[in-house]
Amino acid sequence: MKKVVALTGIVLVVLIVIVYINKLYYPSLPIDGVSAKEVINKLQKSDSKFVQIAEKDNLVWYITPTENQGILVADERIIKFMESSGWIFKEKEGSGLFFEQDGERKIVTTEMWTGKYVLVKVPK
């Protein structure tokens, strides 16, 4: 009986380590072929708080931490990022931030991925 309890304990510890190392406690991403582990590691290794994580279907995906300040800090980073490329912020409606440049309009959308991170979709 003691061997069964010890073996069960060891199996539980191994499973917990696997879940933690592979970041399986994060929800899945809405981007095919990109894992939570990849994304979190990329953000942690970067000096920037606004990191590109994928390019799929005419969209460029980014991630930014909320730092317990909510979506507003993400919106500020998005506006700064877009303005550095010449886009002018016009308005925010729901999860969309509207930008204009030379008569062209671009809508950048955000999605809370977890309480700590916001995913950002920018059309190419």
Side-chain angles (χ1 to χ4, degrees):
M1 184 65 160
K2 288 182 181 181
K3 288 183 180 181
V4 172
V5 171
L7 185 58
T8 303
I10 291 170
V11 169
L12 276 173
V13 169
V14 168
L15 286 174
I16 290 170
V17 168
I18 289 170
V19 166
Y20 181 76
I21 288 173
N22 290 306
K23 310 283 190 233
L24 297 176
Y25 48 90
Y26 283 108
S28 61
L29 289 159
I31 312 161
D32 291 333
V34 181
S35 74
K37 181 180 179 180
E38 287 177 74
V39 168
I40 298 300
N41 287 342
K42 196 170 192 178
L43 183 61
Q44 289 174 342
K45 290 178 182 177
S46 176
D47 293 333
S48 176
K49 299 231 184 232
F50 194 79
V51 176
Q52 181 178 333
I53 56 173
E55 275 188 57
K56 301 257 182 179
D57 304 323
N58 267 349
L59 294 171
V60 182
W61 289 83
Y62 296 87
I63 189 169
T64 187
T66 62
E67 298 171 351
N68 298 322
Q69 297 173 353
I71 195 78
L72 293 178
V73 72
D75 289 350
E76 291 171 8
R77 288 187 186 128
I78 294 165
I79 292 168
K80 185 177 179 181
F81 172 77
M82 294 298 290
E83 287 179 344
S84 72
S85 298
W87 291 90
I88 299 166
F89 175 69
K90 291 298 181 180
E91 65 180 317
K92 178 178 177 163
E93 189 173 314
S95 67
L97 288 89
F98 295 78
F99 295 87
E100 290 183 0
Q101 179 184 52
D102 300 329
E104 192 178 336
R105 190 168 196 166
K106 191 175 275 201
I107 303 169
V108 175
T109 56
T110 60
E111 179 179 331
M112 286 296 291
W113 180 46
T114 69
K116 294 182 179 182
Y117 302 103
V118 175
L119 298 176
V120 180
K121 287 189 287 189
V122 180
K124 284 187 182 177

